[in-house]
C-alpha cells in the first residue's frame, strides 16, 4: 500500500489564473508604504491582460507613481468542489493617463464602490501571475463556526 499523501496544493496555469481573476470584482492590492506593507481592497476589471482600478489621490495613487513593486490578490472557495483557491499577481502599478484608455476601462463597467471621487485610474500589468487550488478539510458540523463557508456542505 502506498502511504504517501499527494500534495494538497495544485498550481494553476496562467490561463486558469486569468479566468479566476475574471470571475471576481474585488481584490486586494499590497503596497510598500514607509518601508512596510499595506493592503487595500479595490474593485477592479481586467483590461488587456492587466488589472485596472480607480482611486482617489492618496496611498494607492502614490504607490502607482513611485514605481515600487505591488502585489494583487484574490481568493475564493468553491462550495460544490470543496476547494479553495488563490491568485496573486506581482508587478508594478502605473497611472493610466490617456483619456482613450480611461474610456476603455470605463466601458468594462468599472464603477467605484466607495463614495467619493475616484479620478485616477491605475493599471497593474503583472510580471508574475501565480495561483493555487487545494481541497479543504471537511468541516466538523458541531465545532465549525456558523460563518465558515464550508458549512454549506451541510445545508
Amino acid at each position: 500500500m502506498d502511504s504517501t499523501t499527494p500534495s494538497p496544493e495544485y498550481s494553476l496555469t496562467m490561463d486558469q489564473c486569468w479566468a479566476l481573476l475574471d470571475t471576481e470584482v474585488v481584490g486586494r492590492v499590497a503596497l510598500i508604504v514607509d518601508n512596510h506593507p499595506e493592503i487595500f481592497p479595490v474593485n477592479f476589471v481586467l483590461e488587456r491582460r492587466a488589472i485596472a482600478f480607480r482611486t482617489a489621490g492618496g496611498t494607492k495613487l502614490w504607490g502607482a507613481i513611485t514605481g515600487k513593486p505591488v502585489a494583487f490578490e484574490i481568493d475564493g472557495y468553491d462550495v460544490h468542489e470543496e476547494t479553495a483557491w488563490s491568485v496573486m499577481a506581482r508587478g508594478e502599478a502605473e497611472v493610466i493617463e490617456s483619456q482613450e484608455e480611461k474610456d476603455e476601462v470605463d466601458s468594462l463597467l468599472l464603477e467605484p464602490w466607495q463614495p467619493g471621487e475616484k479620478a485616477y485610474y491605475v493599471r497593474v500589468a503583472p510580471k508574475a501571475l501565480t495561483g493555487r487550488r487545494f481541497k479543504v478539510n471537511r468541516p466538523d458540523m458541531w465545532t465549525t463556526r456558523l460563518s465558515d463557508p464550508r458549512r454549506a456542505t451541510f445545508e
Side-chain angles (χ1 to χ4, degrees):
M1 172 181 359
D2 183 12
S3 64
T4 60
T5 304
S7 170
E9 299 180 18
Y10 302 98
S11 294
L12 298 173
T13 66
M14 191 171 289
D15 285 339
Q16 289 171 318
C17 290
W18 283 114
L20 286 168
L21 279 166
D22 202 28
T23 67
E24 295 297 317
V25 295
V26 175
R28 289 164 295 283
V29 63
L31 309 166
I32 302 297
V33 178
D34 295 329
N35 295 319
H36 66 273
E38 291 200 19
I39 300 172
F40 302 91
V42 295
N43 61 302
F44 71 98
V45 294
L46 294 184
E47 177 253 347
R48 293 190 269 155
R49 290 285 191 173
I51 298 150
F53 62 91
R54 289 174 58 181
T55 188
T59 306
K60 291 184 292 282
L61 179 61
W62 179 248
I65 292 171
T66 60
K68 293 180 181 177
V70 302
F72 182 86
E73 192 265 347
I74 61 167
D75 51 42
Y77 176 67
D78 185 324
V79 173
H80 302 292
E81 298 291 324
E82 296 180 343
T83 58
W85 53 267
S86 177
V87 173
M88 187 174 66
R90 293 185 313 274
E92 293 178 359
E94 67 175 345
V95 177
I96 299 173
E97 300 286 352
S98 114
Q99 188 59 50
E100 183 179 322
E101 289 180 281
K102 290 177 185 180
D103 291 344
E104 185 177 330
V105 170
D106 284 339
S107 76
L108 299 170
L109 306 178
L110 177 60
E111 176 187 1
W113 283 16
Q114 186 179 25
E117 186 177 354
K118 308 288 186 234
Y120 300 97
Y121 292 63
V122 176
R123 176 186 298 127
V124 177
K127 292 184 178 179
L129 183 62
T130 58
R132 66 186 190 115
R133 181 186 314 268
F134 57 93
K135 192 84 169 158
V136 299
N137 289 327
R138 291 196 57 88
D140 180 288
M141 183 185 312
W142 304 109
T143 61
T144 301
R145 292 180 302 187
L146 293 176
S147 61
D148 190 321
R150 298 175 304 153
R151 288 188 65 87
T153 58
F154 301 141
E155 299 156 3

